[in-house]
Amino acid sequence: MSLETRKRYIERCPRCSQCKWLPAPKSQRFASVCPSIQYGNFHSYSAGGKGFTAYAMLENRIGYSAEMLRSVFACTMCGACDTSCKTNFGDNIEPLDTLYELRARVVRDGKSLPAHVELIDNLRRVGNPFGKPSQERARWAEGLNLKDITKQRADVFLHIGCTPAYDEAEWRSLQFCAELLKNAKVDFGVAGNAEQSSGGLAFDLGFQEDARRLAEASAKLVVASGAKTLVTCCAESYAAFKNGFPRLGVSLGGLRVLHITEYLDELIRDGRLKPRSSANALVTYHDPCKLGRLSETYTPWQGEWRRVLNVMYIAVPPRPVLYGTEGNYDAPRRLLQSIAGVEVVEMERSREYSYCCGAGGGAKEAYPDFAEKTAGDRLTEAEATGASVMVTACATCQRHLSAVANKQGSKLRVKGLLEMLCEAVV
Amino acid sequence: MPLTAEALRDLESAVGKGNVSDDSSTCMSYAWNAGLGGMPKPNRLAVVPPIGVVLPANTEQVQGVVKACLKHGIKFKPHSTGYGSLATVASPNAISVDLRRMNRIHEIDERNQMAVIEPYVTAGQLQAEAMKSGLNCHIVGAGLTHSPLASATACFGIGISGTTTGNNVRNLLGLEWVTPNGEILNIGSSGSGSGWFSGEGPGPGFRGMIRGITGTMGELGIFTKIGYKLYPWPGPKKLETMGKHPQLGMRIPEHFRLYHLAWQSWEDVTKASYEINQSGVAYVLVRIPPNSYGMALSATNNDYYDLLSQGRLPDIAKDDDQHRMTWTMLTAASSAAEARYKERVVKGILANTNGREIALSPDHEGLVAYFLVTSIYIPRVLRPSSAMSTSFGVLESFSKLPEVMKAGEVCLGEDIKPGGMFMQGSREEFWSWPSEGRHLWTENAFSYDVNIPESRGAVLRMALEHDDMVQTKGSLGVEVFALGPLADFFSSASSNATLWMRKVKQRFDGHNAQDAQFFISREAPWITKYWPFLRRVLFLRIFRPVFKRMMTHFAIVGLQALMGKRK
Ligand SMILES: Cc1cc2nc3c(=O)[nH]c(=O)nc-3n(C[C@H](O)[C@H](O)[C@H](O)COP(=O)(O)OP(=O)(O)OC[C@H]3O[C@@H](n4cnc5c(N)ncnc54)[C@H](O)[C@@H]3O)c2cc1C
Ligand code: SF4
Ligand code: SF4
């Protein structure tokens, strides 16, 4: 794809502003879906507006400026705009695809933000965005005696992901998870230090070639292991495997891909794991974008838009449309419900309409004030439910939300779902 | 001509740094011609973008912006949510005043059934908040994302739930206005400090003058706050949805019922309309053309086309004589007894008027009910090619209905047949309802393709021909969609209203601070003088092929080439 191919899609935008709002708002306070427009206010910050920026670039009506780059990159690539746009316009516009190509165009023009270049340098050097040594990736598993899947066969490839692997606060949950899998007699292995980023972040930043290289390396590692199932502890990688890899033409050879929450849920439902945990808490669950609407399986399409009925355009052959509804929404909720004494209350914006935490798409690194405001807005919504704990199943969301909760003095405790399960074990 | 450093500084001191931009990418995002209201050329980006965008947060800041514009000779155009193209600027030295930061619902007065709102409160937000108090608001066809304030003060204002929720022309109550000269005026009861409950007074009452039937389309100052009527809502405090995005339906509340009713002639439809309106049983009563129902009930163009080409369209979307002469009706009741009473009344009316009920699947029932209460799926009729136009905005007695329907078919003519320039849909595309539960509103809305010059030309043809038809026949009611120069061409049908509109524009916009794009210009275009002669020739049958070519030509070069710049 290229930005040029997006032109016909952008042209279909009637500037309805639905990409700023929930399709079915329940209140004025939490009616917005787009962190970017909430921050920047000018229309150029909305997904539709970013499309116009792209169009104006293609028509040579504008050049680069700091403000233009800000409107493009103060955006978490959360995809809520895309889901909302499809309320009325189906696959006519698909703004998220335009955002991917707009960012790729900025990269090709050599105008990337310094903060993003640093992330990419790290990914190129050490395979993770934090610039931490690749030899430290598997420190969390020291002493656990886990199978090295690069050397021994196993049914399940347990993929860890960069944030959980390098964030010491996550290690206890990872260790607990390995313990659970052992108890359930799952034949699994990990790739240890051989694992590297699956390319999701590079793709979001617009570095599509880097993303492809990382995706190919990850796919090679996974396919070579001979495992039948790929289970990842990382929401970003989950989205990359299911949605990003097909966009980049990278195949996992038909492997079954699951997020750890889906896998644990399956084990419980198969009776291989028995929930023994209890806690006493009113909890609200934050759907991570990457685990939800951005994780739908993408199917590449090649075809043409044909004019029928005088002026109507249809896709020939028909193309699969992603509405955001097929993300991983139920498994995390079922896991929460499996903890005795936990009551789950929903936020107004949940499941495919979830409001982003603000950390994604390189926004936190490039525009920290934007990322903080977004997290603050999400925390306010969580507080409004009356819950005392906000649980999420993405380490990036959790880190960011809890940092902002601490900074802003929120009474909410932000927890990872695995952490919650682990703490609640009786 | 870019903003000068001084102008930028003055604007910044009015609204604060960070709330003004003259960056070209920001400005360009306010220059999108969506093909709704304006005709894009040579592509979707307007030739003339604004030279700056400002984001005021309150009325005083709006006033500051207007004063800075007057000082520096800059034109300004207000912009609420900006759905479509009516909020775009037309002059090379104009700024957009984006009212996004003015988004407060000041009050929902449950007992007096009204709200006080600012420009960037969206219809979806207001409805959600109003329902919590057992109230509902009028929502025009642009759906949940548009601004009720923009609609009520400046831009048409008629919507499908109008049986109960009226018409924004009269939903507008007290009003705060920053005039083109930079004064802050309060109109109606807000002008006497007695609240926002009335548009006429106590206090200065000139709502009609600054609003009229069409509105001034952002070309007569900036409205900053209004009192707005709300209506009783006997449903739940939160609408319960069902189904899966994007096919969300409404769980039909207890004691509500959705009917899709059909007759065999427009005369019977008319008779039934009178009876339904007199009985007062309808919460929403609307006729939606079958083709538009097809669009609204499908999620993509491919979905719709599959249904059509495989002969699987549901009855509600069929354009045959069994299914197209219809009313869809939602009844709402607060008790089982009231619901039973309404059911009996509907049955009686059907029996009296040779009508029958068409069954809908439960999924379609939910979708249609949700659509009727929120207008959410109306924008789907834009989906075929993302451009629409409309015609025959007729506000009249129901007795005109049969004749108007026929006239609409004639006007769409060859262009909705295979090989034509509009969407091949229903034979006419009339959306009708009893505005304020009383008189007929009907408009003939159709899709065209902005990328095909002949299609754009056909829209111009349609605009001129149908206005001419309404005026010549004299029996098709009052036409509301005569905007811009069309108002000058056809105003004699409306008691030469343009004479008065022009006086209002000249009087209030003394400094010529605002464009004349959609509202009346300060001076009549030169061609108006020759129009009576021209129109005698233009609409002759023999002249038709030339007329069509002319319209395509002007669709390419722009109407300005014919009329000159409107002042
Ligand atoms: C799909 C579709 C369906 C529609 N159906 C209907 C319908 O059924 N009935 C109907 O009445 N209209 C209809 N419209 C037009 C509709 O009225 C407007 O799009 C909408 O009401 C305006 O809201 P907005 O927030 O988009 O206004 P904007 O686009 O921001 O503004 C509309 C006009 O009002 C002016 N304006 C905006 N705010 C102010 C202000 N504060 N002070 C002064 N002037 C202002 C603008 O300059 C512009 O000319 C439809 C439009 C679309 C796109
Ligand atoms: S991108 Fe989609 S939702 Fe946003 S303005 Fe355009 S059509 Fe509307
Ligand atoms: S991806 Fe998220 S932040 Fe970016 S424009 Fe879309 S909704 Fe807004």
Side-chain angles (χ1 to χ4, degrees):
Chain A
M1 252 205 271
S2 66
L3 194 58
E4 284 72 16
T5 61
R6 300 308 305 163
K7 199 168 169 188
R8 74 151 322 276
Y9 294 87
I10 303 168
E11 274 180 342
R12 298 285 162 213
C13 168
R15 207 196 180 290
C16 69
S17 288
Q18 186 66 65
C19 48
K20 298 169 186 166
W21 306 113
L22 280 183
K26 298 186 184 79
S27 70
Q28 183 185 36
R29 201 167 169 211
F30 305 120
S32 167
V33 291
C34 172
S36 189
I37 185 76
Q38 288 298 101
Y39 168 73
N41 279 321
F42 292 110
H43 187 70
S44 47
Y45 284 78
S46 70
K50 288 174 175 62
F52 303 163
T53 297
Y55 194 89
M57 279 175 75
L58 290 168
E59 290 291 325
N60 294 319
R61 297 280 300 272
I62 58 167
Y64 284 97
S65 66
E67 197 166 320
M68 177 265 195
L69 288 170
R70 204 159 114 113
S71 70
V72 173
F73 288 104
C75 157
T76 58
M77 300 302 277
C78 70
C81 46
D82 201 76
T83 300
S84 274
C85 178
K86 286 169 179 161
T87 301
N88 282 320
F89 298 116
D91 49 354
N92 274 16
I93 297 122
E94 298 202 314
L96 183 62
D97 284 33
T98 299
L99 303 196
Y100 288 134
E101 294 311 320
L102 176 57
R103 286 177 165 221
R105 168 70 182 262
V106 175
V107 170
R108 263 202 300 283
D109 289 348
K111 302 288 181 186
S112 299
L113 303 175
H116 291 177
V117 172
E118 193 181 323
L119 291 171
I120 289 296
D121 279 348
N122 290 338
L123 284 168
R124 287 176 187 158
R125 247 180 344 99
V126 284
N128 69 74
F130 318 114
K132 300 219 171 142
S134 49
Q135 304 89 301
E136 290 185 10
R137 187 178 269 272
R139 270 186 56 210
W140 70 273
E142 275 169 13
L144 292 186
N145 246 341
L146 304 181
K147 233 188 217 181
D148 179 350
I149 205 160
T150 63
K151 299 198 176 102
Q152 288 170 279
R153 285 212 164 257
D155 288 344
V156 172
F157 187 123
L158 183 67
H159 176 272
I160 307 301
C162 299
T163 309
Y166 286 105
D167 182 358
E168 281 194 45
E170 288 290 311
W171 291 1
R172 198 170 144 237
S173 300
L174 287 178
Q175 290 155 359
F176 165 74
C177 174
E179 200 62 33
L180 280 182
L181 295 182
K182 278 186 188 168
N183 288 347
K185 310 233 172 332
V186 176
D187 175 24
F188 74 98
V190 292
N193 292 337
E195 203 186 282
Q196 50 176 329
S197 162
S198 45
L201 177 62
F203 188 73
D204 279 354
L205 298 183
F207 289 81
Q208 294 190 352
E209 279 318 306
D210 286 276
R212 184 171 291 108
R213 188 180 50 75
L214 289 162
E216 278 167 355
S218 295
K220 202 166 151 201
L221 193 70
V222 172
V223 173
S225 75
K228 296 190 211 87
T229 307
L230 171 61
V231 175
T232 179
C233 299
C234 167
E236 184 166 301
S237 301
Y238 180 68
F241 296 145
K242 294 184 72 173
N243 189 286
F245 280 28
R247 287 178 188 274
L248 294 164
V250 175
S251 167
L252 282 167
L255 215 76
R256 193 165 174 244
V257 179
L258 295 174
H259 185 254
I260 186 68
T261 51
E262 288 172 301
Y263 196 60
L264 294 179
D265 177 52
E266 232 178 69
L267 293 175
I268 291 175
R269 290 202 286 164
D270 289 350
R272 292 170 69 187
L273 266 186
K274 295 248 176 313
R276 288 181 298 114
S277 37
S278 92
N280 224 342
L282 186 61
V283 164
T284 190
Y285 176 70
H286 164 76
D287 286 288
C289 313
K290 294 282 187 183
L291 199 57
R293 58 183 168 249
L294 293 174
S295 71
E296 290 184 309
T297 305
Y298 181 84
T299 314
W301 174 78
Q302 273 200 321
E304 54 157 343
W305 285 92
R306 189 173 296 164
R307 185 148 67 93
V308 294
L309 302 175
N310 297 347
V311 300
M312 183 165 97
Y313 290 84
I314 58 166
V316 180
R319 56 203 295 263
V321 186
L322 303 182
Y323 291 110
T325 49
E326 304 307 313
N328 174 13
Y329 302 117
D330 293 325
R333 286 177 170 77
R334 274 197 298 266
L335 284 180
L336 272 176
Q337 308 279 10
S338 77
I339 306 175
V342 161
E343 195 189 326
V344 183
V345 275
E346 292 289 346
M347 285 183 268
E348 287 190 12
R349 295 172 287 192
S350 70
R351 302 176 73 94
E352 64 266 36
Y353 308 128
S354 176
Y355 194 73
C356 181
C357 74
K364 187 165 61 125
E365 291 77 8
Y367 301 104
D369 58 332
F370 161 58
E372 185 179 333
K373 173 188 167 14
T374 305
D377 291 347
R378 187 58 164 163
L379 289 164
T380 305
E381 184 180 358
E383 283 161 1
T385 63
S388 57
V389 185
M390 183 189 205
V391 175
T392 183
C394 163
T396 308
C397 296
Q398 188 207 337
R399 257 161 66 128
H400 181 58
L401 286 166
S402 66
V404 175
N406 286 339
K407 187 168 173 195
Q408 297 185 351
S410 168
K411 287 203 183 86
L412 268 181
R413 275 172 306 145
V414 183
K415 288 189 174 177
L417 181 47
L418 287 177
E419 179 193 356
M420 183 87 188
L421 282 170
C422 157
E423 277 180 3
V425 167
V426 196
Chain B
M1 187 211 305
L3 271 184
T4 62
E6 274 160 62
L8 195 60
R9 206 183 45 235
D10 285 348
L11 289 170
E12 275 177 354
S13 72
V15 294
K17 222 174 156 64
N19 293 311
V20 185
S21 174
D22 62 347
D23 179 83
S24 61
S25 72
T26 309
C27 292
M28 211 50 94
S29 72
Y30 292 79
W32 190 247
N33 194 326
L36 296 149
M39 203 75 84
K41 86 181 166 51
N43 56 42
R44 295 276 189 165
L45 288 173
V47 179
V48 178
I51 55 172
V53 184
V54 295
L55 290 161
N58 55 45
T59 306
E60 288 66 37
Q61 291 193 1
V62 171
Q63 182 181 42
V65 168
V66 171
K67 287 193 166 158
C69 287
L70 292 172
K71 178 174 161 196
H72 295 282
I74 299 166
K75 287 193 195 290
F76 61 90
K77 177 93 176 186
H79 187 292
S80 285
T81 79
Y83 197 164
S85 319
L86 295 164
T88 50
V89 307
S91 305
N93 65 333
I95 61 164
S96 271
V97 183
D98 183 347
L99 299 158
R100 185 181 150 84
R101 295 205 298 149
M102 296 181 67
N103 60 356
R104 282 162 288 249
I105 298 177
H106 287 274
E107 187 186 359
I108 289 187
D109 182 343
E110 189 174 333
R111 294 215 290 194
N112 296 303
Q113 300 183 15
M114 59 171 286
V116 181
I117 55 172
E118 291 187 350
Y120 211 87
V121 173
T122 68
Q125 294 167 7
L126 183 60
Q127 186 178 55
E129 295 299 337
M131 281 184 174
K132 290 179 189 168
S133 304
L135 297 168
N136 195 4
C137 63
H138 189 61
I139 300 187
V140 303
L144 294 171
T145 58
H146 82 279
S147 151
L149 181 144
S151 171
T153 56
C155 184
F156 307 118
I158 193 125
I160 62 170
S161 61
T163 308
T164 308
T165 59
N167 174 346
N168 277 338
V169 175
R170 277 189 282 275
N171 287 332
L172 176 63
L173 301 170
L175 168 64
E176 182 179 75
W177 180 34
V178 178
T179 71
N181 295 335
E183 280 170 272
I184 299 176
L185 289 186
N186 278 284
I187 299 174
S189 52
S190 66
S192 61
S194 48
W196 294 86
F197 62 89
S198 158
E200 276 77 31
F206 46 102
R207 181 173 63 166
M209 193 168 69
I210 51 87
R211 169 59 167 95
I213 189 84
T214 46
T216 51
M217 306 288 159
E219 291 167 7
L220 198 70
I222 303 183
F223 303 105
T224 45
K225 194 173 171 187
I226 61 169
Y228 188 60
K229 273 187 211 165
L230 300 174
Y231 295 88
W233 165 248
K237 290 191 183 310
K238 263 188 194 170
L239 281 185
E240 205 187 330
T241 53
M242 58 181 210
K244 223 176 188 186
H245 175 79
Q247 297 298 74
L248 286 185
M250 179 175 101
R251 205 170 292 288
I252 298 184
E254 203 186 0
H255 311 316
F256 279 48
R257 241 207 93 176
L258 183 79
Y259 298 88
H260 189 60
L261 309 171
W263 290 264
Q264 300 274 355
S265 72
W266 287 118
E267 285 71 18
D268 280 344
V269 175
T270 303
K271 196 169 158 214
S273 316
Y274 285 125
E275 292 196 21
I276 295 170
N277 290 338
Q278 274 160 14
S279 72
V281 292
Y283 189 82
V284 180
L285 184 70
V286 61
R287 189 270 176 165
I288 293 172
N291 166 55
S292 296
Y293 261 134
M295 282 297 151
L297 297 179
S298 56
T300 63
N301 287 351
N302 279 67
D303 290 350
Y304 171 71
Y305 191 67
D306 285 352
L307 291 174
L308 179 74
S309 54
Q310 295 164 11
R312 292 189 295 117
L313 278 177
D315 285 349
I316 191 170
K318 287 182 182 157
D319 186 45
D320 56 45
D321 285 342
Q322 298 301 310
H323 298 103
R324 73 186 190 95
M325 289 175 257
T326 56
W327 283 121
T328 312
M329 174 160 56
L330 184 72
T331 58
S334 307
S335 68
E338 188 187 353
R340 276 197 306 277
Y341 160 75
K342 288 190 170 170
E343 259 177 49
R344 276 202 310 277
V345 171
V346 175
K347 273 199 188 119
I349 294 172
L350 286 179
N352 278 349
T353 57
N354 307 315
R356 69 193 171 97
E357 195 177 340
I358 296 179
L360 304 182
S361 70
D363 282 356
H364 283 170
E365 264 200 352
L367 275 164
V368 172
Y370 193 42
F371 175 20
L372 263 48
V373 172
T374 63
S375 293
I376 183 169
Y377 299 127
I378 297 183
R380 285 188 181 183
V381 298
L382 269 177
R383 209 181 52 215
S385 60
S386 289
M388 270 181 80
S389 190
T390 193
S391 57
F392 287 95
V394 166
L395 205 48
E396 251 295 355
S397 156
F398 270 92
S399 59
K400 309 279 186 201
L401 184 70
E403 203 180 337
V404 173
M405 293 289 162
K406 283 189 202 103
E409 275 186 49
V410 172
C411 248
L412 289 172
E414 296 300 308
D415 277 319
I416 52 161
K417 305 221 167 103
M421 287 297 136
F422 300 150
M423 166 91 174
Q424 227 178 292
S426 309
R427 68 195 83 172
E428 36 69 30
E429 300 280 6
F430 276 106
W431 293 61
S432 320
W433 58 87
S435 190
E436 300 175 301
R438 253 200 323 271
H439 49 274
L440 169 69
W441 165 263
T442 190
E443 68 177 287
N444 199 16
F446 53 93
S447 290
Y448 72 103
D449 190 335
V450 294
N451 294 321
I452 304 174
E454 289 79 8
S455 187
R456 304 204 305 261
V459 176
L460 290 182
R461 169 195 71 73
M462 178 82 184
L464 288 171
E465 266 183 8
H466 93 273
D467 272 332
D468 181 66
M469 188 186 249
V470 172
Q471 196 176 52
T472 316
K473 282 206 164 194
S475 56
L476 296 175
V478 180
E479 217 283 283
V480 170
F481 291 131
L483 287 186
L486 291 182
D488 275 309
F489 292 172
F490 297 104
S491 86
S492 58
S494 330
S495 321
N496 283 320
T498 44
L499 294 178
W500 294 100
M501 288 156 74
R502 186 153 279 124
K503 279 185 190 178
V504 171
K505 173 77 177 169
Q506 287 167 346
R507 180 71 186 80
F508 282 104
D509 188 7
H511 298 96
N512 195 14
Q514 294 200 270
D515 282 331
Q517 204 182 166
F518 302 109
F519 184 50
I520 202 83
S521 50
R522 287 157 50 88
E523 291 164 28
W526 67 272
I527 196 170
T528 325
K529 232 192 291 173
Y530 306 98
W531 179 249
F533 164 74
L534 262 177
R535 77 184 269 205
R536 255 181 269 146
V537 185
L538 271 185
F539 301 115
L540 288 177
R541 264 203 104 62
I542 180 176
F543 199 67
R544 202 172 156 80
V546 182
F547 174 52
K548 277 175 125 175
R549 275 206 297 278
M550 271 171 69
M551 292 302 103
T552 303
H553 172 73
F554 287 117
I556 295 167
V557 299
L559 271 182
Q560 234 184 52
L562 176 68
M563 275 175 282
K565 193 168 156 28
R566 297 177 72 234
K567 294 184 210 134

